[in-house]
Amino acid sequence: MEFRIAIAEDNAVNRNTFMQKLSLSSKLRLIFSANNGNECLEQLKGLFHTEMPQVIFMDLKMPEMDGIETIRIAKS
């Protein structure tokens, strides 16, 4: 079984490290990475239901829109 993953993280070093670790597993597929909450929501809007990530690793403190607000909007 393959899990669809997304990352929302404003720190490029953390984001790239996380993406490298995910790429080591054949059971995880990175759908997208985002620099902030707004970018995350925009990328979610462009996906078909079957391509939606099953898990989003979300930084809670990001510029423009924090993780808590992003989660609230994405759930609705």
Side-chain angles (χ1 to χ4, degrees):
M1 178 179 201
E2 181 180 79
F3 289 97
R4 297 180 307 275
I5 307 292
I7 301 168
E9 168 63 67
D10 63 313
N11 182 298
V13 172
N14 291 347
R15 188 176 55 254
N16 291 333
T17 300
F18 207 165
M19 288 168 42
Q20 281 181 320
K21 299 297 183 189
L22 289 175
S23 71
L24 298 175
S25 174
S26 62
K27 295 185 180 202
L28 302 175
R29 182 165 55 107
L30 182 65
I31 302 299
F32 68 81
S33 67
N35 297 316
N36 58 58
N38 287 327
E39 189 176 309
C40 179
L41 293 174
E42 284 302 313
Q43 291 196 51
L44 284 171
K45 285 181 192 175
L47 295 175
F48 291 109
H49 179 71
T50 57
E51 285 296 309
M52 286 287 180
Q54 294 163 295
V55 175
I56 300 177
F57 291 98
M58 181 79 62
D59 184 0
L60 297 181
K61 294 183 180 181
M62 295 183 287
E64 295 185 37
M65 183 183 298
D66 67 25
I68 300 296
E69 182 69 10
T70 305
I71 292 166
R72 187 187 66 72
I73 293 170
K75 284 176 57 177
S76 62

